[in-house]
Amino acid sequence: MKRWKRKQDWGRSRAKDVTRPAKLPVNFFSTRSPVIDLFRGQLDYADHLRQDSEIVLYFFYAPWCGQSIAAREEIEHVASRLSDQVLFVAVNCWWNQGKCRKQKHFFYFPVIHFYHRSFGPIEYKGPMSAVYIEKFVRRVMTPLLYISSRSKLLDFLSNYEPGVLGYFEFNASPQPPGYLTFFTSALHSLKKDYLGTIRFGVITDKHVAEEISLVHSGSVYLHRHVNTSLIYPNDIMNYTAENICKWALENREMLIRWLRPHGGKSLLLNNELKKGPALLIFIPYNPLAEIHPLLDEITKVALEYHSCNKSQAAEPVLQHLGDVDSPAFDSPVPDVHTELSETFSITKYPCCNTVVLPQWHSISRTHNVCELCINQTFGVKPNKVNVPHCNFLEIEAALDSFYLQEHTFFQVISNTIECSNFLSFYSPFSYYTACCRTVNRHFLSFISSEKTIFQTPKVAFSSHGKKDKDDTQNSIPHIEDRNCFIPDLHDNGTNITGLSCRTNKTLNLYLLDSNLFWIYAERLGASRSTHLKEFAAIVDLKEEVHYVLDQNQSLTGSTLENFIKNFSILYSPLKRHLVDDPSVHFHAQRIITEVTTNTFHDTVFSNEKNVLLLYYAQWCGFCASLNHIFIQLARLLPPDNFTVARIDITRNDLPWEFMTDRLPTILFFPHQRKEQSVKFPEDFPVNLPNLLKFILHYSSLSSSDHCTKECLHKETVLQQGHISHLEREIQKLRSEISALHQAHDKLEEQLSKARREEQRLQQQKHTLEKQHKTLQLHSEQLQSTYDQKNQELLAMAEKLQELADASENLLKENTLLRILVASKEGKLQLKDKAKEPVQSEQTLSDDNDVSVSTAATTLGEKRIDNIDTIETEHSSENRTG
């Protein structure tokens, strides 16, 4: 019982020693830092400090967090520049005794919150870089830009970010009605959109406000470059800060979008790339810089690319940006097409779609290319304000009508432009115009260049009723591309204007800061050794391709325009970029050839040998199990005629016709028919005999052409060489098999010896187990005897203790008797001396002596009996032991 209590107490003390209280937190920021460090999580004191400041930045951190430690220096850098205007407070939100940990529940660190007086919190989710944080701080400090002149208005409107302007008259009162609401809406936009893509400005001059048609004080204007700008509908929506912010976010126009991945797991890039082909532009960007020349060029390209209907709103912006004057609506038409421009209004207001008709004969390499356009009126020039918009439904209806009449232009071979008019089935006031010409196939890749196929001044008109009696064969699917062929439709010799609405391959434009996200550019194919971090790539997720802008060219507006035009044309001259594995090192004496993207064509197609190619991946365990099979196969096959290769498809890109979704995949390319590659059957096990049968079967097939005698002789010699080579290999295999049989016999002998030894050990084990059981029983018997003797000894000890107590009592009584005897002897001596011969007294004394002697005799006998009893017990105990 006592032992169990001791173990329990020891276990409790052990449990108490496992946990200990956390160490007290220490300063995270330096004591000389302008940042107030509340390292004990005093959130209540932080709120007290906020009451006396207009702008406050809260930096919630965890001392152990690596990102918090990395952002500490950036926050100190910003605080050193703005500490006189902004209060910087850092709060330890990890210490379990602090109020911040008890009241806040963050899922990540660090977290930055801004407060503008009583408005907040505004969470900052941008890059943890000093320039970006400072830029956001300044946006919180001045959410509104003051527009005082027409030049500042043009600067504001020419920015690529959407802008919201409010007009307020400050003459009547210090704060006119609606101004505080508009000011709060700007803060709401920062709270909902941490990128700060919407810029808010305020106009106080009546004449400047009239430039954007703002007349009444309190009006709010949303500027859009391409689409029509909007004025806040006060009669429909309540004039509140939330509604203004919501209205601006829902109706904003995004020509270019910034992408800022936060570095963790995210679907940001995937969600954007799923929207369609994307042009990713990497530029070094400093948010605090006053001018961005490269960004202005990109903005101009984006504005022209999206200007589908020659928007009047875009004209002053293009003029303000510089380089190219905006095209006028009443620009003259070239003389060579005067008749065409006077007859059809499509040259001034195009809403067209390009149709490439299939080849009229399998041998012919010519196409009939038609430009199908929609005309809204007959001979009436549209008003400047009411510019017709291209409607997808109208284009679809025009294509349907054109396909019904396509036989008119299918077999016609003409070097002139032949145009025809088709009445619309839906409206009597509109018609369709189709202008067609026959071109060679190799010219189609240059249809978007300045020298278009429609350069001849000779234009012929034909009635849509004319047609050949010989109908065409079943036509292949049509290839459409909304690209304008007529030079009149081009603005100032460039095709970039409005190209997003004239092609089925519309690009979404995105910007990334190369100072922060250059690793994404390297993943797309950017050079790692470049000093100027400028890069552009087009990624088409649907087609699983991407194209890279030549890095030898500088990233300018003109190179971007050419890049976009080359992607948008029907037969794009851009070469698909394939990612290569730079870590592959080639060895001359390697049995299996390692193929990369750059060496794929030379190894597989340019090679005059039969090629067996294995697709594998580093994570594929079954692929690794095939290595020894392919090594044996490479040793068996003659190296002069066969090449065994493999390629890691996770590190190398391949042409889409050679891609696979299953690993491992084995392809065989015969040397005479490389385009007729054969896939190893998936239902066959991958082993050496099956691979040899597969290779010999497809490598021995005759080609599709008739083979000559010389060809047959070469084939015979080749096959005999194969057979002799295989026979030698078979002999080697047989010798190896005999050696394996001998080794097998030796192993059998060793195994028999091991089995006999195992049986002997088993018998010894059983014997030892029996002895162990016997010893265990004897031990139990000895333990029981020991317990019994122990109990008897305890009982004997109790009896001995009782005897010891009795002897002590007898000794005490004996002492008393001796005292009595001594006293009596003294009295007798006195009586003898006095010699009193009184008989009565003598008689009495004699009686007393007799009684005393009797008592003494009795006590002596008792003592003798006790001593005998003790001696008897000792003798019996000795006999028992």
Side-chain angles (χ1 to χ4, degrees):
M1 190 71 178
K2 293 181 179 179
R3 292 180 180 175
W4 181 80
K5 287 183 178 179
R6 288 178 182 174
K7 290 181 179 179
Q8 189 177 18
D9 296 338
W10 180 77
R12 289 177 180 174
S13 62
R14 178 79 178 275
K16 292 179 181 178
D17 294 338
V18 170
T19 59
R20 66 176 182 177
K23 294 181 180 180
L24 292 176
V26 296
N27 286 320
F28 189 69
F29 286 84
S30 172
T31 55
R32 294 175 295 178
S33 174
V35 180
I36 300 175
D37 188 7
L38 304 179
F39 57 90
R40 293 190 178 180
Q42 305 100 307
L43 191 60
D44 51 350
Y45 184 64
D47 294 335
H48 174 70
L49 294 174
R50 184 166 60 87
Q51 297 176 0
D52 301 329
S53 302
E54 182 177 2
I55 309 295
V56 181
L57 182 147
Y58 280 174
F59 179 73
F60 299 102
Y61 67 89
W64 54 265
C65 175
Q67 295 182 358
S68 300
I69 296 172
R72 174 174 55 188
E73 184 179 355
E74 307 294 330
I75 293 294
E76 285 186 336
H77 181 74
V78 178
S80 64
R81 292 170 56 90
L82 301 175
S83 58
D84 56 338
Q85 305 176 60
V86 179
L87 177 65
F88 290 83
V89 181
V91 184
N92 182 359
C93 217
W94 183 256
W95 192 47
N96 56 357
Q97 300 298 327
K99 285 192 175 181
C100 183
R101 176 70 179 272
K102 296 177 181 178
Q103 297 181 10
K104 302 288 185 181
H105 302 284
F106 296 122
F107 296 99
Y108 55 89
F109 288 102
V111 177
I112 298 178
H113 285 175
F114 288 92
Y115 287 88
H116 190 289
R117 295 183 180 176
S118 60
F119 185 89
I122 303 173
E123 184 176 358
Y124 173 74
K125 298 180 181 179
M128 289 298 169
S129 176
V131 290
Y132 281 93
I133 297 174
E134 183 177 347
K135 178 67 175 180
F136 195 82
V137 172
R138 294 185 182 276
R139 291 287 288 265
V140 176
M141 292 168 57
T142 56
L144 297 179
L145 298 178
Y146 178 58
I147 310 299
S148 58
S149 62
R150 189 176 184 275
S151 62
K152 290 186 177 180
L153 178 62
L154 286 176
D155 287 336
F156 185 88
L157 297 180
S158 62
N159 196 285
Y160 67 95
E161 296 176 339
V164 178
L165 291 169
Y167 168 54
F168 299 95
E169 293 181 351
F170 283 81
N171 299 327
S173 62
Q175 292 182 353
Y179 174 75
L180 289 180
T181 302
F182 185 70
F183 184 88
T184 308
S185 67
L187 294 176
H188 270 286
S189 69
L190 292 176
K191 187 176 182 180
K192 294 182 178 180
D193 183 11
Y194 70 95
L195 295 176
T197 54
I198 300 182
R199 306 164 74 245
F200 282 75
V202 60
I203 302 175
T204 58
D205 190 346
K206 180 179 180 181
H207 299 289
V208 176
E210 289 177 352
E211 294 287 339
I212 53 175
S213 303
L214 293 182
V215 180
H216 304 288
S217 179
S219 301
V220 179
Y221 171 85
L222 173 63
H223 175 68
R224 300 195 292 187
H225 294 283
V226 178
N227 296 315
T228 306
S229 299
L230 302 176
I231 297 179
Y232 184 77
N234 293 319
D235 53 344
I236 299 176
M237 303 175 66
N238 294 330
Y239 193 84
T240 61
E242 292 83 357
N243 286 345
I244 294 175
C245 178
K246 180 181 177 182
W247 171 75
L249 289 173
E250 290 178 351
N251 296 281
R252 64 181 171 176
E253 182 182 69
M254 299 295 293
L255 299 179
I256 312 175
R257 291 196 59 177
W258 279 98
L259 294 181
R260 296 193 178 108
H262 55 74
K265 290 184 178 180
S266 172
L267 295 176
L268 174 64
L269 290 175
N270 181 65
N271 293 336
E272 295 298 332
L273 294 178
K274 285 195 302 185
K275 296 178 182 179
L279 173 59
L280 303 177
I281 306 173
F282 294 83
I283 59 173
Y285 180 69
N286 182 10
L288 299 179
E290 295 183 359
I291 57 173
H292 301 90
L294 181 56
L295 185 58
D296 292 339
E297 288 191 41
I298 297 172
T299 302
K300 177 180 173 297
V301 171
L303 185 57
E304 290 183 350
Y305 181 68
H306 290 284
S307 297
C308 300
N309 299 307
K310 299 184 180 180
S311 172
Q312 289 181 341
E315 291 182 12
V317 175
L318 287 172
Q319 291 177 356
H320 188 70
L321 287 174
D323 299 338
V324 181
D325 295 334
S326 61
F329 278 89
D330 298 327
S331 59
V333 184
D335 296 336
V336 292
H337 297 292
T338 303
E339 184 179 359
L340 185 63
S341 63
E342 291 176 355
T343 310
F344 305 111
S345 60
I346 61 170
T347 57
K348 292 293 187 64
Y349 303 98
C351 188
C352 305
N353 192 79
T354 302
V355 182
V356 180
L357 296 177
Q359 302 172 12
W360 67 278
H361 193 273
S362 59
I363 304 177
S364 175
R365 298 185 59 83
T366 60
H367 290 270
N368 282 344
V369 182
C370 300
E371 184 75 5
L372 179 64
C373 299
I374 301 173
N375 289 308
Q376 302 294 338
T377 56
F378 282 93
V380 179
K381 188 175 181 179
N383 193 300
K384 242 174 152 181
V385 179
N386 299 323
V387 179
H389 294 274
C390 281
N391 191 333
F392 179 77
L393 296 177
E394 293 178 353
I395 286 290
E396 187 177 12
L399 289 172
D400 292 339
S401 300
F402 177 78
Y403 289 153
L404 294 175
Q405 304 290 336
E406 67 178 354
H407 52 266
T408 304
F409 305 98
F410 193 75
Q411 291 182 337
V412 175
I413 300 178
S414 174
N415 292 326
T416 61
I417 304 173
E418 296 188 0
C419 299
S420 295
N421 298 330
F422 298 90
L423 292 176
S424 172
F425 296 115
Y426 302 99
S427 173
F429 301 103
S430 63
Y431 63 95
Y432 309 132
T433 299
C435 298
C436 303
R437 181 185 173 183
T438 304
V439 296
N440 291 329
R441 184 176 181 179
H442 65 273
F443 285 132
L444 289 177
S445 59
F446 302 100
I447 57 177
S448 291
S449 62
E450 293 183 1
K451 297 181 179 180
T452 62
I453 60 174
F454 295 102
Q455 284 185 335
T456 175
K458 185 177 181 181
V459 180
F461 299 94
S462 62
S463 171
H464 81 281
K466 293 182 180 180
K467 65 177 182 178
D468 256 342
K469 292 184 179 180
D470 298 331
D471 267 347
T472 63
Q473 304 286 336
N474 292 332
S475 57
I476 61 175
H478 297 275
I479 304 173
E480 289 109 17
D481 186 2
R482 295 178 189 173
N483 199 358
C484 185
F485 287 145
I486 304 176
D488 301 337
L489 304 184
H490 306 327
D491 299 318
N492 296 333
T494 178
N495 291 343
I496 194 69
T497 304
L499 186 58
S500 64
C501 300
R502 294 187 284 113
T503 178
N504 289 334
K505 298 190 289 185
T506 303
L507 285 169
N508 299 316
L509 307 183
Y510 298 98
L511 290 173
L512 291 95
D513 189 354
S514 59
N515 295 325
L516 300 176
F517 309 111
W518 188 246
I519 185 174
Y520 294 96
E522 291 180 354
R523 281 274 191 80
L524 290 172
S527 175
R528 298 184 179 181
S529 60
T530 180
H531 299 288
L532 186 60
K533 293 185 176 181
E534 295 178 357
F535 180 73
I538 294 176
V539 180
D540 192 345
L541 197 64
K542 183 179 179 181
E543 300 295 332
E544 297 183 356
V545 296
H546 80 276
Y547 308 97
V548 173
L549 182 64
D550 187 5
Q551 296 186 61
N552 295 325
Q553 301 179 6
S554 59
L555 186 63
T556 60
S558 59
T559 56
L560 282 178
E561 287 184 4
N562 293 331
F563 192 41
I564 294 173
K565 287 189 290 185
N566 289 332
F567 172 77
S568 302
I569 62 179
L570 184 61
Y571 295 99
S572 175
L574 296 178
K575 183 179 179 181
R576 176 188 176 187
H577 181 78
L578 300 175
V579 178
D580 194 11
D581 186 5
S583 63
V584 175
H585 301 283
F586 299 98
H587 302 280
Q589 298 180 354
R590 200 164 186 172
I591 298 176
I592 299 178
T593 305
E594 191 72 25
V595 181
T596 64
T597 302
N598 294 333
T599 62
F600 180 81
H601 188 272
D602 295 336
T603 305
V604 176
F605 291 100
S606 299
N607 193 354
E608 295 181 357
K609 304 177 184 179
N610 298 298
V611 179
L612 183 71
L613 184 62
L614 169 67
Y615 291 5
Y616 77 99
Q618 294 291 339
W619 49 262
C620 177
F622 186 65
C623 300
S625 66
L626 300 178
N627 289 337
H628 71 283
I629 298 177
F630 274 78
I631 291 174
Q632 293 180 8
L633 182 65
R635 290 173 177 172
L636 289 175
L637 296 174
D640 296 335
N641 301 319
F642 289 91
T643 297
V644 180
R646 66 174 190 169
I647 184 170
D648 186 354
I649 65 172
T650 60
R651 296 187 178 186
N652 298 276
D653 285 341
L654 294 176
W656 63 268
E657 62 268 18
F658 296 106
M659 291 301 295
T660 181
D661 56 352
R662 186 179 184 272
L663 291 178
T665 297
I666 303 171
L667 291 180
F668 180 69
F669 298 86
H671 71 97
Q672 292 181 352
R673 303 173 303 280
K674 289 296 180 69
E675 70 280 357
Q676 299 178 6
S677 59
V678 186
K679 184 179 179 181
F680 185 81
E682 297 179 358
D683 52 348
F684 281 22
V686 183
N687 52 38
L688 190 60
N690 288 341
L691 285 174
L692 285 172
K693 292 177 183 178
F694 171 71
I695 293 172
L696 294 177
H697 174 71
Y698 287 102
S699 63
S700 61
L701 291 177
S702 59
S703 59
S704 57
D705 299 332
H706 182 70
C707 190
T708 61
K709 292 183 178 180
E710 184 180 359
C711 175
L712 290 174
H713 179 69
K714 289 183 179 180
E715 286 290 336
T716 305
V717 173
L718 180 62
Q719 293 300 329
Q720 289 178 353
H722 290 175
I723 292 170
S724 61
H725 180 74
L726 289 176
E727 286 178 350
R728 290 193 298 270
E729 294 296 331
I730 289 171
Q731 290 296 332
K732 291 181 181 179
L733 290 175
R734 286 175 179 173
S735 60
E736 291 178 359
I737 290 171
S738 63
L740 289 174
H741 280 301
Q742 294 175 1
H744 181 265
D745 296 336
K746 292 181 180 179
L747 287 175
E748 285 291 339
E749 293 178 0
Q750 293 177 359
L751 286 174
S752 62
K753 292 180 181 179
R755 292 192 187 98
R756 289 194 296 270
E757 185 68 22
E758 183 181 4
Q759 291 176 359
R760 187 180 62 82
L761 292 175
Q762 288 289 344
Q763 292 176 358
Q764 291 181 358
K765 180 182 176 183
H766 291 312
T767 305
L768 291 175
E769 286 179 352
K770 290 180 181 180
Q771 292 178 358
H772 177 70
K773 290 180 180 179
T774 304
L775 291 173
Q776 190 173 4
L777 291 174
H778 186 62
S779 175
E780 292 176 355
Q781 291 176 359
L782 290 176
Q783 184 68 29
S784 61
T785 305
Y786 171 77
D787 295 337
Q788 182 180 358
K789 293 300 181 182
N790 193 17
Q791 293 176 0
E792 291 177 357
L793 287 174
L794 290 175
M796 187 63 68
E798 291 177 356
K799 290 180 181 181
L800 288 174
Q801 186 66 33
E802 291 177 357
L803 289 174
D805 294 339
S807 64
E808 287 179 1
N809 293 331
L810 289 175
L811 288 173
K812 290 178 182 179
E813 291 177 357
N814 190 15
T815 305
L816 290 174
L817 288 174
R818 287 179 181 178
I819 293 171
L820 289 174
V821 170
S823 64
K824 291 298 182 180
E825 288 179 354
K827 287 180 181 181
L828 290 175
Q829 290 176 0
L830 289 175
K831 287 179 181 181
D832 292 337
K833 290 178 180 182
K835 296 181 180 182
E836 292 178 358
V838 183
Q839 188 66 32
S840 58
E841 291 178 1
Q842 290 177 354
T843 305
L844 179 63
S845 62
D846 294 334
D847 296 334
N848 290 334
D849 293 336
V850 172
S851 62
V852 170
S853 62
T854 306
T857 304
T858 305
L859 290 172
E861 292 176 353
K862 288 183 179 180
R863 184 176 180 183
I864 291 168
D865 293 337
N866 290 331
I867 292 170
D868 294 337
T869 305
I870 292 170
E871 291 177 353
T872 304
E873 290 178 353
H874 276 289
S875 62
S876 64
E877 182 179 356
N878 292 331
R879 288 194 302 271
T880 305

